[in-house]
Amino acid sequence: MRLRDPGGADLPAWEPGAHVDLLLTDDLVRQYSLCGDPADRTSYRIAVLREPDGRGGSAFVHDKLVPGARTQVRGPRNHFALVPARRYLFVAGGIGITPILPMLAAAESAGADWRLVYGGRTAASMAFAEELRATHGDRISVRPQDEHGLLDLAALLAEPADGTLVYCCGPGPLLDAVERTCVAWPAGSLHVERFSPKDPPASARSFEVELAVTGTTLTVPPDRSVLDVLSDAGIRMLSSCRQGTCGTCETVVLDGEVEHHDSLLTDEEKAAHTTMFVCVSRAAGPKLTLEL
């Protein structure tokens, strides 16, 4: 699908790894990776896999967003940026190929050495496979599961490769397996983007949130998120996925330690305790002070 400004204006600039929010209805907001050419400011290209058992977003896009239809778009936003490196190993699963597509072109343009391993359930289900083969040839390894089985991550990732960054996007089990396999790699080598949340915390407890601007202190009970409590108090915040995957509700933390449950921050960013995603993350202690 291509999205254009109805008045013909240039769209906001973006870099590989970015996504946009589609505000489909008042209660239906979904995130989709930009998979076109960042140099093309006239349109955004996204790809939406129809999920028959999904939460309604993909069905709405497939059924309602016909040519000429209008939808609101928020962003772009990027929590999966391509860090400069000499070499890259890209691992994609299913529709997780979408944010990887512009990264390949960027790596090629930068003169980096790179390789893509792309898995999916069947060859017919793997979007852009023919485009990739035609454009990049033997740098692409397309591995449908029904023909080749699961990706051999041990062979790909068991030994750290000097100067190489690993970028992976796809279903949760693939990302979990890649994270386990890359445990011996240097910190910062692995970059992942999740379309679905990590497992939620096994238990939660009450804590206080102080709002530095107003001086208000709110109590967050075990069964509510910080975002819920802020909304109940009349504090308007942008939010979208409510799963810790999109980055919309990122909030600055001025004091206190955060119990992070998002799928976005690196280990180093989590250890700094300077930001949190209030839709899923909580306090690790009795109180947090937020820049609100």
Side-chain angles (χ1 to χ4, degrees), residues 261-291:
H261 297 289
D262 64 90
S263 303
L264 297 165
L265 297 178
T266 65
D267 290 341
E268 292 80 6
E269 290 168 333
K270 290 178 179 179
H273 299 288
T274 56
T275 189
M276 70 182 293
F277 299 96
V278 293
C279 64
V280 291
S281 295
R282 305 180 67 80
K287 185 177 181 179
L288 290 172
T289 302
L290 304 181
E291 192 178 58

Short mmCIF file of all heavy atoms in Angstrom, two decimals, residues 261-291:
data_model
loop_
_atom_site.label_atom_id
_atom_site.label_comp_id
_atom_site.label_asym_id
_atom_site.label_seq_id
_atom_site.Cartn_x
_atom_site.Cartn_y
_atom_site.Cartn_z
N HIS A 261 9.19 -3.40 30.92
CA HIS A 261 8.52 -4.53 30.26
C HIS A 261 8.26 -4.23 28.79
O HIS A 261 7.42 -4.89 28.17
CB HIS A 261 7.21 -4.86 30.98
CG HIS A 261 7.39 -5.32 32.39
ND1 HIS A 261 7.93 -6.55 32.70
CD2 HIS A 261 7.15 -4.69 33.56
CE1 HIS A 261 8.00 -6.67 34.02
NE2 HIS A 261 7.54 -5.57 34.56
N ASP A 262 8.98 -3.25 28.25
CA ASP A 262 8.81 -2.92 26.84
C ASP A 262 9.70 -3.81 25.97
O ASP A 262 10.52 -4.58 26.47
CB ASP A 262 9.17 -1.45 26.60
CG ASP A 262 10.64 -1.19 26.88
OD1 ASP A 262 11.45 -1.33 25.95
OD2 ASP A 262 10.98 -0.87 28.04
N SER A 263 9.52 -3.69 24.67
CA SER A 263 10.33 -4.44 23.71
C SER A 263 11.20 -3.51 22.88
O SER A 263 11.61 -3.87 21.77
CB SER A 263 9.40 -5.23 22.77
OG SER A 263 8.55 -6.10 23.49
N LEU A 264 11.52 -2.32 23.42
CA LEU A 264 12.18 -1.29 22.62
C LEU A 264 13.55 -0.90 23.14
O LEU A 264 14.49 -0.75 22.37
CB LEU A 264 11.28 -0.04 22.57
CG LEU A 264 9.94 -0.23 21.87
CD1 LEU A 264 9.01 0.93 22.20
CD2 LEU A 264 10.14 -0.34 20.37
N LEU A 265 13.68 -0.69 24.43
CA LEU A 265 14.93 -0.17 24.98
C LEU A 265 16.03 -1.23 24.99
O LEU A 265 15.77 -2.42 25.19
CB LEU A 265 14.71 0.33 26.41
CG LEU A 265 13.74 1.50 26.59
CD1 LEU A 265 13.61 1.85 28.07
CD2 LEU A 265 14.18 2.71 25.79
N THR A 266 17.26 -0.77 24.80
CA THR A 266 18.41 -1.67 24.93
C THR A 266 18.69 -1.90 26.41
O THR A 266 18.16 -1.20 27.29
CB THR A 266 19.66 -1.05 24.28
OG1 THR A 266 20.02 0.15 25.00
CG2 THR A 266 19.40 -0.69 22.82
N ASP A 267 19.54 -2.87 26.70
CA ASP A 267 19.90 -3.13 28.10
C ASP A 267 20.54 -1.90 28.73
O ASP A 267 20.29 -1.59 29.91
CB ASP A 267 20.86 -4.32 28.18
CG ASP A 267 20.18 -5.64 27.85
OD1 ASP A 267 18.94 -5.69 27.91
OD2 ASP A 267 20.90 -6.60 27.53
N GLU A 268 21.35 -1.19 27.97
CA GLU A 268 22.00 0.01 28.49
C GLU A 268 20.97 1.10 28.80
O GLU A 268 21.06 1.79 29.82
CB GLU A 268 23.04 0.54 27.50
CG GLU A 268 24.25 -0.37 27.32
CD GLU A 268 23.97 -1.54 26.39
OE1 GLU A 268 22.87 -1.60 25.80
OE2 GLU A 268 24.86 -2.41 26.27
N GLU A 269 20.00 1.27 27.91
CA GLU A 269 18.97 2.28 28.13
C GLU A 269 18.10 1.93 29.33
O GLU A 269 17.69 2.81 30.11
CB GLU A 269 18.11 2.43 26.87
CG GLU A 269 18.85 3.09 25.71
CD GLU A 269 18.12 2.98 24.40
OE1 GLU A 269 17.34 2.01 24.22
OE2 GLU A 269 18.33 3.84 23.54
N LYS A 270 17.82 0.65 29.50
CA LYS A 270 17.03 0.23 30.66
C LYS A 270 17.78 0.49 31.96
O LYS A 270 17.20 0.95 32.95
CB LYS A 270 16.66 -1.25 30.54
CG LYS A 270 15.65 -1.54 29.44
CD LYS A 270 15.37 -3.03 29.33
CE LYS A 270 14.35 -3.31 28.23
NZ LYS A 270 14.06 -4.74 28.08
N ALA A 271 19.07 0.21 31.95
CA ALA A 271 19.88 0.39 33.17
C ALA A 271 19.99 1.84 33.57
O ALA A 271 20.21 2.16 34.75
CB ALA A 271 21.27 -0.21 32.95
N ALA A 272 19.82 2.77 32.64
CA ALA A 272 19.94 4.20 32.94
C ALA A 272 18.73 4.72 33.71
O ALA A 272 18.83 5.73 34.42
CB ALA A 272 20.11 4.99 31.65
N HIS A 273 17.56 4.07 33.58
CA HIS A 273 16.34 4.47 34.28
C HIS A 273 15.97 5.93 34.02
O HIS A 273 15.50 6.64 34.91
CB HIS A 273 16.47 4.24 35.79
CG HIS A 273 16.70 2.82 36.17
ND1 HIS A 273 15.72 1.85 36.08
CD2 HIS A 273 17.82 2.18 36.61
CE1 HIS A 273 16.21 0.68 36.46
NE2 HIS A 273 17.48 0.85 36.78
N THR A 274 16.16 6.38 32.78
CA THR A 274 15.83 7.77 32.44
C THR A 274 14.59 7.89 31.56
O THR A 274 14.13 9.01 31.31
CB THR A 274 17.01 8.43 31.71
OG1 THR A 274 17.35 7.66 30.55
CG2 THR A 274 18.22 8.54 32.63
N THR A 275 14.06 6.78 31.12
CA THR A 275 12.86 6.82 30.30
C THR A 275 12.08 5.53 30.49
O THR A 275 12.64 4.50 30.89
CB THR A 275 13.22 7.01 28.81
OG1 THR A 275 12.04 7.26 28.05
CG2 THR A 275 13.91 5.78 28.26
N MET A 276 10.77 5.57 30.23
CA MET A 276 9.95 4.38 30.35
C MET A 276 8.75 4.50 29.41
O MET A 276 8.39 5.60 28.95
CB MET A 276 9.44 4.18 31.78
CG MET A 276 8.41 5.21 32.23
SD MET A 276 7.87 4.99 33.96
CE MET A 276 6.99 3.42 33.87
N PHE A 277 8.15 3.37 29.12
CA PHE A 277 6.92 3.32 28.34
C PHE A 277 5.79 2.98 29.30
O PHE A 277 5.71 1.86 29.81
CB PHE A 277 7.05 2.32 27.19
CG PHE A 277 8.16 2.69 26.24
CD1 PHE A 277 9.42 2.16 26.36
CD2 PHE A 277 7.93 3.65 25.27
CE1 PHE A 277 10.45 2.54 25.52
CE2 PHE A 277 8.95 4.05 24.42
CZ PHE A 277 10.21 3.49 24.54
N VAL A 278 4.97 3.99 29.57
CA VAL A 278 4.03 3.90 30.69
C VAL A 278 2.86 2.95 30.42
O VAL A 278 2.08 2.67 31.34
CB VAL A 278 3.50 5.30 31.07
CG1 VAL A 278 4.62 6.15 31.64
CG2 VAL A 278 2.85 6.00 29.87
N CYS A 279 2.76 2.41 29.22
CA CYS A 279 1.68 1.46 28.96
C CYS A 279 1.96 0.09 29.58
O CYS A 279 1.02 -0.65 29.89
CB CYS A 279 1.42 1.32 27.46
SG CYS A 279 2.81 0.63 26.53
N VAL A 280 3.26 -0.24 29.78
CA VAL A 280 3.58 -1.57 30.31
C VAL A 280 4.57 -1.56 31.47
O VAL A 280 4.51 -2.44 32.33
CB VAL A 280 4.13 -2.50 29.20
CG1 VAL A 280 3.06 -2.85 28.19
CG2 VAL A 280 5.35 -1.89 28.53
N SER A 281 5.49 -0.60 31.50
CA SER A 281 6.54 -0.63 32.51
C SER A 281 6.05 -0.06 33.83
O SER A 281 5.13 0.75 33.88
CB SER A 281 7.77 0.13 32.01
OG SER A 281 8.33 -0.53 30.90
N ARG A 282 6.73 -0.48 34.92
CA ARG A 282 6.28 -0.13 36.26
C ARG A 282 7.48 0.32 37.09
O ARG A 282 8.61 0.40 36.60
CB ARG A 282 5.58 -1.33 36.91
CG ARG A 282 4.44 -1.90 36.07
CD ARG A 282 3.76 -3.07 36.73
NE ARG A 282 3.05 -2.69 37.95
CZ ARG A 282 1.84 -2.13 37.97
NH1 ARG A 282 1.21 -1.87 36.84
NH2 ARG A 282 1.25 -1.85 39.12
N ALA A 283 7.23 0.61 38.34
CA ALA A 283 8.31 1.00 39.24
C ALA A 283 8.97 -0.24 39.83
O ALA A 283 8.29 -1.18 40.24
CB ALA A 283 7.78 1.89 40.35
N ALA A 284 10.30 -0.20 39.91
CA ALA A 284 11.02 -1.27 40.59
C ALA A 284 11.07 -1.04 42.10
O ALA A 284 11.36 -1.97 42.85
CB ALA A 284 12.45 -1.35 40.05
N GLY A 285 10.75 0.16 42.52
CA GLY A 285 10.71 0.52 43.94
C GLY A 285 9.36 1.11 44.30
O GLY A 285 8.38 0.94 43.57
N PRO A 286 9.29 1.84 45.40
CA PRO A 286 7.99 2.36 45.85
C PRO A 286 7.50 3.57 45.09
O PRO A 286 6.31 3.89 45.16
CB PRO A 286 8.26 2.72 47.32
CG PRO A 286 9.73 3.01 47.38
CD PRO A 286 10.37 2.08 46.40
N LYS A 287 8.40 4.26 44.31
CA LYS A 287 7.96 5.52 43.72
C LYS A 287 8.79 5.87 42.49
O LYS A 287 9.99 5.57 42.41
CB LYS A 287 8.10 6.66 44.76
CG LYS A 287 7.56 8.01 44.30
CD LYS A 287 7.68 9.02 45.43
CE LYS A 287 7.15 10.37 45.04
NZ LYS A 287 7.24 11.37 46.15
N LEU A 288 8.13 6.53 41.53
CA LEU A 288 8.78 7.11 40.36
C LEU A 288 8.39 8.58 40.25
O LEU A 288 7.26 8.94 40.59
CB LEU A 288 8.36 6.40 39.08
CG LEU A 288 8.82 4.96 38.83
CD1 LEU A 288 8.14 4.39 37.60
CD2 LEU A 288 10.33 4.91 38.67
N THR A 289 9.29 9.39 39.79
CA THR A 289 8.98 10.78 39.46
C THR A 289 9.12 10.96 37.98
O THR A 289 10.17 10.67 37.38
CB THR A 289 9.93 11.76 40.19
OG1 THR A 289 9.84 11.55 41.60
CG2 THR A 289 9.55 13.20 39.88
N LEU A 290 8.03 11.41 37.35
CA LEU A 290 7.99 11.54 35.89
C LEU A 290 7.95 13.01 35.49
O LEU A 290 7.41 13.85 36.22
CB LEU A 290 6.75 10.82 35.34
CG LEU A 290 6.59 9.36 35.69
CD1 LEU A 290 5.32 8.80 35.04
CD2 LEU A 290 7.80 8.54 35.29
N GLU A 291 8.48 13.29 34.31
CA GLU A 291 8.48 14.66 33.79
C GLU A 291 7.13 14.95 33.12
O GLU A 291 7.01 15.08 31.92
CB GLU A 291 9.63 14.86 32.79
CG GLU A 291 9.89 16.32 32.43
CD GLU A 291 11.04 16.47 31.49
OE1 GLU A 291 10.99 15.88 30.39
OE2 GLU A 291 12.00 17.16 31.84
#
